[in-house]
Amino acid sequence: MAKSRNNLLGVGGQRKKLSRAEQQGAGSARGADRKAAEDKKQELVRKMRERAEAQAATTAEPGEQGTPSAQS
């Protein structure tokens, strides 16, 4: 069936259904899951930066050792 353009029911968005625990103020597990995912992402970014810095330091060392006049 074709979608009716004259029916504006629900145009403003819909509220999500609250669980019984959320209604009583216990909060959702979604917030904790998001926090855990953000922590994992931050840890991964930190590790990647450390590896990149170590890689840059490793590639920069031979060039610095080969030119003693550059340090004078």
Side-chain angles (χ1 to χ4, degrees):
M1 287 190 91
K3 186 174 183 180
S4 173
R5 299 287 178 188
N6 296 329
N7 186 2
L8 297 177
L9 182 64
V11 167
Q14 295 180 355
R15 297 181 185 178
K16 72 179 189 78
K17 302 289 185 191
L18 295 176
S19 69
R20 187 169 292 192
E22 288 173 332
Q23 289 175 358
Q24 294 175 355
S28 67
R30 253 184 262 154
D33 291 342
R34 287 182 186 154
K35 179 69 174 152
E38 183 65 26
D39 291 343
K40 287 180 183 179
K41 182 179 177 182
Q42 292 297 326
E43 183 67 18
L44 180 63
V45 169
R46 184 187 63 79
K47 287 180 182 179
M48 290 175 67
R49 284 187 182 146
E50 287 177 357
R51 289 180 188 159
E53 289 173 2
Q55 182 81 17
T58 303
T59 56
E61 286 177 8
E64 292 176 358
Q65 293 175 351
T67 57
S69 61
Q71 294 177 359
S72 300

